[in-house]
Amino acid sequence: MREHFLWGAATAANQVEGGFDVDGKGLSCADMLSNGTKEIPRQITPKGSEENLYYPNRIASDFYHHYEEDIEWMAEMGLKCYRMSIAWTRIFPTGVENEPNEAGLAFYDRIFDLLKEKGIEPIVTISHYEMPIYLVNHYQGWASRDVIDFYLNYCKVLFERYHDKVTYWMTFNEINCGTLALGNYMSLGIVNEGTRYFNKQVDSLQLRYQALHHQFIASAKAVQLGRKIDHRMQIGCMIAMMPTYPFTCHPKDLLKCQKQWQEINYYCTDVMVRGQYGSYAERMWKEMDIQLTISPEDSKDLSLGTVDFIAISYYQTNCVSHEDDHSMIGGNLLAGVENPYLKASDWGWQIDPDGLRYTLNELYGRYRLPIMIVENGLGAFDQLEEDGQVHDPYRIEYLRCHIRSMMDAIEDGVDVIGYTPWSAIDIVSASTGEMAKRYGFIYVDSDDHGKGSFKRYRKDSFYWYANVIKSNGQKL
Ligand code: BGP
């Protein structure tokens, strides 16, 4: 392992901060999502709150009021870096203001300064599954080209203010979520007619892929802008790696599998790393019967705004088959054919440490850019014991196997520069809105309805991970 390997942990503003209406913050699309469960999907009420619904992201883990203590504990764990995101609505409450909200900027100054004091490098996602709800309601989110300029204005403010404090940036979280119907609201800010359940929206491929194109332009322009403001900044893309295996060695399974890699895993990275759409994109658009508006200016921007590194989330793998009669299993974004060789989490995510080594080799072989694993972890039910302990051997086992696999990939020659497991502390689940689906090293005493003391407790995994970092991965 390299000496300065970035061992860390991750969160996202909308899932951890709470404080949804303080210091001038505006409402974001995440603030308008009700809670749910694995079985009952979250509801979207973009036009306003409803009394009978609970909106968990508004309170989340109340990091907004606990950040000093939380960062203190992160330092105690020995984190070298902390992957976090900035809430767009703290800086631009509706997204269309000309001037930023100073109180929001000051909050992140306090965070960055404290991190620096503790020797923790911030790694910042500019937009992590949230945007001002105003832009959703008045512009159809990223479906509108106008949103590119609003986003760039936001980026400009961030880069100018924090370029001395933040080196690593990511333009969008899991941008390839936009290649899936689920991405409509969460990732692209599009609300279509249909049910109000966020995973059952009527899907317009035309709108969705055009919106994703707008995000590519926004990201490419942000990269160019960032370089102009401070060439030391490293700006990356971030995708949800959803590796797929062919269910059998039937050639048709293999072809289907390759198609899925192209359409879900590589569609975005090809554009953001290579500066142009992949060779298969025209075929995809034809099959979907969509026509994208891509100007010559757009193509130029894409080629000028390629990223410095690739960040991924990695939780699970699935299989594909050309036959339909298989039992399906899935995570928050994508379902696939069940792999008989893998076990799944309580939420049905198939656990596959070897798949990480495979994936890292694939990705690095294709692009030859440094890779950061900015999410990896196990969502599980944890039990807070009466003596304040939380025993989570299942999480330790999950992380241990994945770290081993990452280290094998590094031995294989892959340039992995950082690892920030999901999540530093317990936070609200993105897909279900549950608090009971816990990922953190630090337990937060709050339930699915925001009831609890919000007191923090160190889990067993906290002490274990501290040792991993201290030994630079030697003590697993
Ligand atoms: C990723 C998201 C995160 C996160 C994680 C776990 O897709 O980037 O925001 O929450 O998955 O997913 P969930 O919270 O749905 O269990």
Side-chain angles (χ1 to χ4, degrees), residues 46 57 74 158 196 232 247 255 312 318 347 350 435:
N57 299 66
M74 289 182 206
L158 300 188
R196 54 198 280 175
R232 294 171 305 174
F247 187 63
L255 280 176
I312 61 166
N318 282 317
W347 276 261
Q350 294 187 127
M435 196 67 197

Side-chain angles (χ1 to χ4, degrees), residues 240-297:
M241 258 336 272
M242 293 177 258
T244 308
Y245 303 148
F247 187 63
T248 70
C249 50
H250 193 300
K252 290 218 182 313
D253 281 1
L254 198 69
L255 280 176
K256 189 163 178 185
C257 179
Q258 182 181 54
K259 194 163 184 266
Q260 189 155 313
W261 274 84
Q262 292 173 340
E263 295 181 355
I264 296 178
N265 288 324
Y266 291 143
Y267 184 79
C268 301
T269 41
D270 278 352
V271 176
M272 300 171 93
V273 176
R274 293 174 163 165
Q276 56 179 329
Y277 279 99
S279 48
Y280 46 83
E282 295 274 355
R283 182 212 73 218
M284 277 175 66
W285 300 332
K286 214 165 145 198
E287 280 172 9
M288 293 178 197
D289 195 23
I290 60 176
Q291 275 99 35
L292 297 195
T293 307
I294 302 175
S295 69
E297 188 66 24

Side-chain angles (χ1 to χ4, degrees), residues 15 128-129 173-174 315 332-333 349 375 422 429-431 437 439:
Q15 292 168 258
H128 188 130
Y129 285 162
N173 178 60
E174 295 189 336
Y315 291 94
N332 55 350
L333 302 176
W349 300 27
E375 284 184 39
W422 197 258
S429 155
S431 57
K437 187 182 190 185
Y439 285 89

